[in-house]
Amino acid sequence: MIDIPLTAELVRGALELERTEGGLVPHRLPARARAQNTDPRLAMAEAQPAGVRLRFRTSARVIELDTLATKVEYPGAPPRPDGVYDLLVDGKLAAQATAPAGVRFADLPGHDKDIEIWLPHNELTTLVALRTDAPVSPSPRADRVWLHHGSSISQGSNAISPSTTWTAVAALAAGVELVNLGFSGNALLDPFTARALRDTPADLISVKLGINVVNADLMRLRAFGPAVHGFLDTIRDGHPDTPLLVVSPLYCPIHERTPGPGDFDHEALASGFVRFRATGEPGPGKLTLEVIREELARIVAQREDPNLSYLDGLALYGEEDFADLPLPDALHPSPAAHHRIGARFASLVLDFNRA
């Protein structure tokens, strides 16, 4: 076996790689943004490598990756399963693995091929060592980079593996290079996140906004509009002409007309499964998903930006989809719904890029 140095050329989808005593930690926010964050949940989410993968070309038949996983458990909630590593060979899912200290893929085809190892999207993963039984070289990058920001749905909650989150499904179908800045509970219009989007090279940018602002009960309508304008202004400072897509929330009955804050359904937790509920009361200026969609559509139309577009999230997952593929925990899509959302978004990505 050959020891392969873990370098930035082999790691895709991370904005920064931090070298620690234990190994290499992929980050989805740069150090400057992390220094300005005070929310431990965001600190956890950005270090979970959703959309991050090792990519290289090799004729190796055996690949070994040593890692160190940090798992998160919530009081009263059932323990989360081990993170999944997806192996893609020439763009197709070829194998999956879980392991406390890393993974081993053997009996691979002996021809020269593109390898992608997608890291678990829901647990912090430190890269320790990479070994193969043949030399490797960096794979060429895709022609277009898709930079996306969103919530836990974009990060991949309820998806069964990292290459089956809706963002990964869309990127793989469209043949674009994914940089996923979806942060569980933290699509909250943070200025440091906008600056990270501003400073990251991209050919297409999408921002999926609304659900976290509602379920965090973070602000009222008066603050939401200016905050969205400021977020988009910051992105435009670094990407004045890049196609920019604003995506409103998917259908979610608990918050369609009921404000946040959101909370666990504690009766469900007592029965051993996770479910969410809305606890807010309607009132002047309070935000619901219906209000958010209307406001985002108004903002995009008002800006008169020829490279700015709006996509109603109901076109990706609407009421009919909910009837067919319900939200298992009342908040996040099922694995099948992730595939449906990703397939629908893929066609919009391709059309958007052609335009």
Side-chain angles (χ1 to χ4, degrees), residues 12-334:
R12 306 289 176 86
L15 295 194
E16 189 173 284
L17 300 176
E18 179 188 7
R19 293 200 175 273
T20 70
E21 291 184 1
L24 200 64
V25 178
H27 286 284
R28 296 186 297 125
L29 281 176
R32 177 187 175 187
R34 302 198 305 272
Q36 294 181 354
N37 170 53
T38 58
D39 187 341
R41 187 174 178 187
L42 176 56
M44 174 187 71
E46 73 83 25
Q48 293 173 333
V52 179
R53 62 267 181 213
L54 298 179
R55 187 173 181 193
F56 50 87
R57 193 158 183 83
T58 184
S59 60
R61 299 180 64 89
V62 179
I63 299 171
E64 297 175 344
L65 178 64
D66 295 342
T67 62
L68 177 65
T70 302
K71 301 180 183 299
V72 176
E73 294 185 6
Y74 293 96
R80 292 189 174 191
D82 288 339
V84 176
Y85 296 77
D86 283 346
L87 174 72
L88 276 63
V89 176
D90 292 330
K92 303 295 183 182
L93 182 63
Q96 295 178 307
T98 61
V103 295
R104 186 176 193 269
F105 299 107
D107 301 321
L108 303 178
H111 60 77
D112 208 26
K113 54 196 173 292
D114 284 313
I115 292 290
E116 290 182 83
I117 303 175
W118 288 66
L119 305 180
H121 59 287
N122 54 5
E123 67 181 25
L124 192 153
T125 302
T126 301
L127 304 173
V128 178
L130 174 66
R131 294 178 298 276
T132 62
D133 64 349
V136 309
S137 59
S139 295
R141 294 185 180 272
D143 291 338
R144 292 183 173 90
V145 175
W146 170 35
L147 175 62
H148 177 73
H149 170 58
S151 66
S152 58
I153 297 172
S154 295
Q155 182 170 341
S157 286
N158 279 350
I160 59 175
S161 75
S163 71
T164 61
T165 67
W166 80 260
T167 46
V169 169
L172 290 167
V176 297
E177 190 91 17
L178 171 65
V179 179
N180 183 3
L181 303 189
F183 304 126
S184 178
N186 278 278
L188 295 174
L189 299 168
D190 290 315
F192 53 74
T193 299
R195 287 191 290 272
L197 293 162
R198 177 196 66 189
D199 297 338
T200 302
D203 300 289
L204 166 67
I205 303 170
S206 55
V207 291
K208 187 173 173 299
L209 304 173
I211 183 63
N212 288 158
V213 176
V214 172
N215 60 27
D217 195 27
L218 186 71
M219 59 183 70
R220 299 293 179 259
L221 182 61
R222 166 63 180 83
F224 179 71
V228 172
H229 276 297
F231 199 83
L232 298 177
D233 286 344
T234 299
I235 295 172
R236 277 292 181 234
D237 287 342
H239 297 276
D241 302 313
T242 303
L244 175 57
L245 179 65
V246 174
V247 186
S248 66
L250 308 178
Y251 184 72
C252 180
I254 63 172
H255 280 306
E256 286 296 318
R257 297 182 180 178
T258 305
D263 192 12
F264 286 110
D265 183 331
H266 295 283
E267 290 185 5
L269 280 179
S271 300
F273 63 95
V274 175
R275 187 174 177 83
F276 295 90
R277 62 192 182 98
T279 67
E281 295 290 336
K286 289 193 174 182
L287 295 176
T288 65
L289 298 189
E290 290 185 350
V291 172
I292 291 279
R293 293 190 195 100
E294 182 178 350
E295 183 66 0
L296 288 177
R298 184 193 68 79
I299 288 169
V300 170
Q302 178 189 13
R303 290 179 68 89
E304 297 183 347
D305 180 341
N307 293 309
L308 177 68
S309 300
Y310 170 74
L311 174 62
D312 188 337
L314 298 180
L316 298 174
Y317 181 90
E319 191 169 359
E320 292 183 0
D321 299 298
F322 177 79
D324 184 31
L325 299 171
L327 305 173
D329 58 9
L331 187 61
H332 304 102
S334 66

